[in-house]
Amino acid sequence: MSKLYFITVFMCACVGGVFAQQRTLEALQLADALGEAMLHNTSLAQASLDQNIAHAQFGSSTAAFLPQVNLSYTSTLTNNPLMVFGNKMVQGIVTANDFDPILLNNPSDYQNHNAMVSVVQPILNPDILFQRRAANIQQEVYDFKKQYTQSYITFEVKKTYYQLLLNYEALEVLKQAFRTTEEANNSVSNFYQQGLVTKADVLNAQVYKSSIESQLLATQHSIEALSDQLSVLMNRETMATYTVQADTNYRTIPDEGAYVYSAARADFMAYNKTVESYDKMIQASRFSLSPRLNAFGNYQSNSNTFGFGNGSYYVGLQVSMDVFKGLTNYHKIAVQKFQRNKIALELKTEQVRAQTEIESAKRSMRDIHVRMQLTQASISQAKEALKLTQDRYTEGLVKTTDLLTSQNLLAQQELALSKIYFEYNVTVSYLSFLTNQNQ
């Protein structure tokens, strides 16, 4: 059993090594990541398709102005007395003999071949006009939705990029801590061989080294996972591990007053346009009971043989209106009003939530700024304390655990500062998103 276990572990390690080798290192700038996401992100592609659908639906509403034309060719065979006589009339071949009662009452089989073109020209249809206006507003709705999607994707790319940057900074801190730990570990081993320290000191140093190694491994895995997230946002299929660097805006202190609530945010505008669209649809439903005026006409050719024969036309104007449709229209308008009010309420809720989130993010900025200053001061103190501890350790005045504690404290403070910078820049990016500055 143990032999099989070791074989399995070995095979898994080999397979893992093969997959690990498939990942390539690739340098990635934030501007490049944003540009590629704007071009290839699948959510943006879906938003563009929604735009195209809205434009196509608006295009179909031109039926309110354009004529409807129909062509047909119909062949019939009948011995119905009325239809036979009527066919002869439209064919223009009626003679005196056709009025013979015997022929009128008992005609032979008779053919008619009818070619016809029919035209219906809308003139005044108020309900369709308002439906067209609603479709036009829907185009704007999806335009704003795409803008909001672009703003959100921008925020997501920035957040993921800054997370990746944080992990690289953490990796450097851990590597430095590991090098320092290795040196301390070697010193402890030498002191132990000289009988200057106890076995417990050696074990403490080894435990601390293993802890740093574990953190290094976890950070590397996190870098790969975040690289995969960036690939998804950019719609890349390659398994790449991205190397990143701080952009010019990273670790800067922006003016808090630059971030103010904007009612013109893309999602708010989409809500407003949706409400406006519902208003037009309600008007369309109301006018569906109003008179409609349309022109119509046709031209047809009739022959008793296959082909074309005697021609005639038929034209006219029609005024029509629905007087009563069983309260269908009344309930349809009621539903549309409720839907409109629901959207208006959602808009108000989102606006209040946005204002709350903006103020909360600003408070976070102030809090992070204070923590940043405190942590920077702590790092200076930790560096000074570590130097003093190293000097005293060399002189044999402090224990190994004291040195390891000092090293660990400095590493933790440096990691904390990196996390604070990350929090700060994500907060700034989120404020840009909330205040319509990612457009």
Side-chain angles (χ1 to χ4, degrees), residues 221-269:
H221 288 169
S222 180
I223 287 173
E224 293 176 359
L226 290 167
S227 296
D228 291 341
Q229 290 181 32
L230 275 176
S231 292
V232 171
L233 288 169
M234 296 184 294
N235 195 27
R236 286 186 179 183
E237 296 182 358
T238 56
M239 296 290 290
T241 298
Y242 300 113
T243 59
V244 298
Q245 65 181 39
D247 68 325
T248 55
N249 294 322
Y250 190 63
R251 295 190 174 185
T252 58
I253 311 298
D255 180 16
E256 181 182 317
Y259 302 98
V260 294
Y261 168 80
S262 173
R265 207 172 78 179
D267 57 332
F268 297 157
M269 295 301 296

Side-chain angles (χ1 to χ4, degrees), residues 127 130-135 137-138 273-288 329 332-333 336-337 339-340:
D127 55 335
F130 280 108
Q131 289 173 5
R132 177 176 169 80
R133 291 174 186 175
I137 295 171
Q138 279 296 313
K273 289 297 179 180
T274 302
V275 170
E276 189 178 339
S277 176
Y278 270 112
D279 287 336
K280 299 302 180 185
M281 288 190 287
I282 291 170
Q283 287 179 295
S285 298
R286 286 172 176 164
F287 276 98
S288 67
N329 201 59
K332 180 180 179 181
I333 292 174
Q336 290 172 334
K337 284 182 176 179
Q339 290 173 330
R340 177 204 178 279

Side-chain angles (χ1 to χ4, degrees), residues 27-257:
L28 183 66
Q29 299 284 344
L30 178 58
D32 295 334
L34 289 170
E36 195 162 341
M38 291 300 103
L39 289 175
H40 304 298
N41 182 267
T42 54
S43 295
L44 282 176
Q46 292 173 15
S48 296
L49 290 174
D50 287 335
Q51 272 186 311
N52 295 337
I53 292 170
H55 295 326
Q57 288 175 337
F58 176 71
S60 68
S61 67
T62 54
F65 309 104
L66 299 178
Q68 301 174 25
V69 181
N70 176 263
L71 293 173
S72 67
Y73 194 95
T74 307
S75 296
T76 60
L77 178 67
T78 182
N79 65 352
N80 182 286
L82 183 61
M83 294 185 67
V84 168
F85 190 78
N87 286 338
K88 289 182 178 181
M89 289 185 67
V90 296
Q91 292 170 6
I93 59 174
V94 175
T95 64
N97 292 334
D98 292 318
F99 289 92
D100 183 347
I102 296 177
L103 294 177
L104 284 174
N105 292 323
N106 296 288
S108 300
D109 292 344
Y110 195 82
Q111 296 182 38
N112 184 56
H113 301 275
N114 173 272
M116 182 171 63
V117 55
S118 301
V119 179
V120 176
Q121 174 61 57
I123 298 177
L124 181 60
N125 295 275
D127 55 335
I128 297 179
L129 292 176
F130 280 108
Q131 289 173 5
R132 177 176 169 80
R133 291 174 186 175
N136 185 34
I137 295 171
Q138 279 296 313
Q139 292 185 108
E140 298 180 66
V141 170
Y142 284 101
D143 290 343
F144 283 121
K145 283 186 175 181
K146 183 178 179 180
Q147 289 179 25
Y148 182 74
T149 303
Q150 288 175 328
S151 180
Y152 180 74
I153 295 301
T154 297
F155 168 66
E156 282 295 314
V157 170
K158 285 183 177 180
K159 183 178 71 172
T160 307
Y161 193 92
Y162 286 139
Q163 283 180 312
L164 195 54
L165 183 57
L166 166 66
N167 276 267
Y168 271 111
E169 291 182 347
L171 193 64
E172 289 303 315
V173 172
L174 290 171
K175 284 180 179 179
Q176 179 60 41
F178 183 75
R179 287 191 290 268
T180 305
T181 302
E182 274 195 316
E183 293 174 2
N185 200 53
N186 293 334
S187 297
V188 170
S189 297
N190 292 333
F191 290 157
Y192 178 70
Q193 291 174 0
Q194 298 172 22
L196 300 176
V197 296
T198 64
K199 182 67 175 178
D201 292 322
V202 176
L203 294 175
N204 284 334
Q206 291 175 349
V207 168
Y208 183 66
K209 179 182 176 182
S210 298
S211 173
I212 296 297
E213 288 178 332
S214 177
Q215 293 180 59
L216 279 168
L217 183 61
T219 303
Q220 185 60 48
H221 288 169
S222 180
I223 287 173
E224 293 176 359
L226 290 167
S227 296
D228 291 341
Q229 290 181 32
L230 275 176
S231 292
V232 171
L233 288 169
M234 296 184 294
N235 195 27
R236 286 186 179 183
E237 296 182 358
T238 56
M239 296 290 290
T241 298
Y242 300 113
T243 59
V244 298
Q245 65 181 39
D247 68 325
T248 55
N249 294 322
Y250 190 63
R251 295 190 174 185
T252 58
I253 311 298
D255 180 16
E256 181 182 317

